[in-house]
Each structure stands twice: as structure tokens, then as C-alpha cells.
Amino acid sequence: MSREKQKSWTGIVKGLGFFVLYLVLMMLFQSLLSVIFMGIKAAQGIKDEALITAFATENILGEVLISNLLIGLVFFCIYRFRKLSIVKEWRLYPFSWKEVCIASGITLAYSILYAYMVRISGVTEPDVIARSAEYYLSLFPGCGLIMMCLNLLVMAPLIEEIVFRGVIYNQIVRTTNPVIAIVGSGLLFGLIHIMAGGWLLTAGAFIMGILLSYIYYKTESLWVCILAHSVANLPDIYSFIMS
């Protein structure tokens, strides 16, 4: 392998390495949190394993929120430990609201189109997050909606954009080019959604990942991607309210 080709692979390997780290952290934190929730139920005197497991599943939304927060802290600490400027590395640069409006319009339009295509296809995919939100709603009025908004409009857009655009995209583009970085980070963004749904969600997330990576490439501001990602999740909030 030539030195030039070897160099081009360096960024891709690093990007994949951070993707694997994200996967491991997500599975680790969510598994630990599931054990904690099952322990809480067991401490209440419940011995039925099915009820204990169901309790952990019902609280999956809380587990996802907490695990995302912890993942964000880990990535923050990694960059701080390496004494890297997070603002520069992740491109947390100033932005114009015109860019945000255009980017949000694109992601929202695609998100609505995707929701329409899913509806007419008749394909039903598992939505453990929505079921968990309904569980929280049964505990306290409005709690489920608040938890959904925190997850879909705040925590998920923030952490996923940091990981897939701020970290993975930037690692790939350093030794390759924007096209490879856009497609590569978009593909990994799609793959991460396999656990949240089925093949249709994965394909839809792949296209959304490409759109967000392109927006990142054009605007050079992670804030624009975070806000556009948040807006793209609004149809999911609407669907939950109307269900």
C-alpha cells in the first residue's frame, strides 16, 4: 500500500474507532442503567422476573437520556484530556439564522416525507421510546411529552451531532475528502438507528445523516446541524401527541 493510500485510510480508521467507542459506551451505559432499574424494582419486593424486566423496558427513555448525557461527558473529557480546542475541533462556530432556517427547512421536509412514506408503506417498526413515554405519561400528566422533548429535541440532536459530525466526520475528512466524509458519517449514522427501529428507520436515518453532514460541510458550524436535527425530530413529537 502506498504512503498516500495509507494516509487516506488513517482518518477512516479513526472515524470507525470513535464509532465503535460510541457503540460500546451506549451499550455499556444502557445495560448498567437497566440493571439499576431492575434492582430498584427488585428492592420493592418484586420477584417476578418478567415484571422486573418490563420495568427496565418501561424506563428505556430515561435510560437513553442519562446514557446520552454520560456519552457526551466522555467525549468531552477525551478532547479535554488531549488538550484540544472543542470549539475548533467540533466547529462550534457562530452561525446565521438564515443558514439555520434553510437547513431546518430541508431536514423537516425530508422528515415529513419519510413519515409519509412509512405510513403508505404499511410497515410497522418497534418504537420502544414512544411506549416508554406513554409509561411516563401514566405516572404524571405531561411527563411523557417532556421526556420525549428532552430526548428528541435536545439530548439526541446534541450528542449525535457531536459524535457523527463533530468527531467522526472531521476524523474522516482530514485524510480523505468531503464526499467520503459525508457518505461515511451518514452511513454510520444510519447504522446506529438499527437498535431504535428496523431497516426502514436505518435507511431513513442514512439519508438524514447525509443531509446533516452536507449541511455541516456547507455551513462549517455544528450548531446549525444540532438545530436542524432538532427540527427534523418535530414530526415524531407531533405523532406522539396525536397518538
Side-chain angles (χ1 to χ4, degrees), residues 43-60:
Q44 296 174 351
I46 305 297
K47 296 182 178 180
D48 190 324
E49 291 185 8
L51 291 176
I52 293 175
T53 303
F55 183 70
T57 303
E58 289 168 341
N59 283 280
I60 189 68

Side-chain angles (χ1 to χ4, degrees), residues 141-215:
C143 184
L145 179 59
I146 292 172
M147 294 288 282
M148 281 285 282
C149 288
L150 284 174
N151 180 51
L152 293 176
L153 304 184
V154 181
M155 197 57 68
L158 178 63
I159 303 305
E160 289 179 358
E161 290 312 308
I162 287 174
V163 173
F164 289 93
R165 254 58 65 180
V167 176
I168 294 176
Y169 173 95
N170 282 327
Q171 290 296 329
I172 297 174
V173 80
R174 277 178 187 146
T175 59
T176 57
N177 59 65
V179 174
I180 294 176
I182 288 170
V183 175
S185 59
L187 177 61
L188 295 177
F189 182 73
L191 290 175
I192 203 67
H193 287 79
I194 289 178
M195 291 178 286
W199 65 269
L200 195 56
L201 177 60
T202 301
F206 167 55
I207 297 174
M208 179 63 79
I210 288 180
L211 288 176
L212 288 167
S213 294
Y214 180 74
I215 289 168

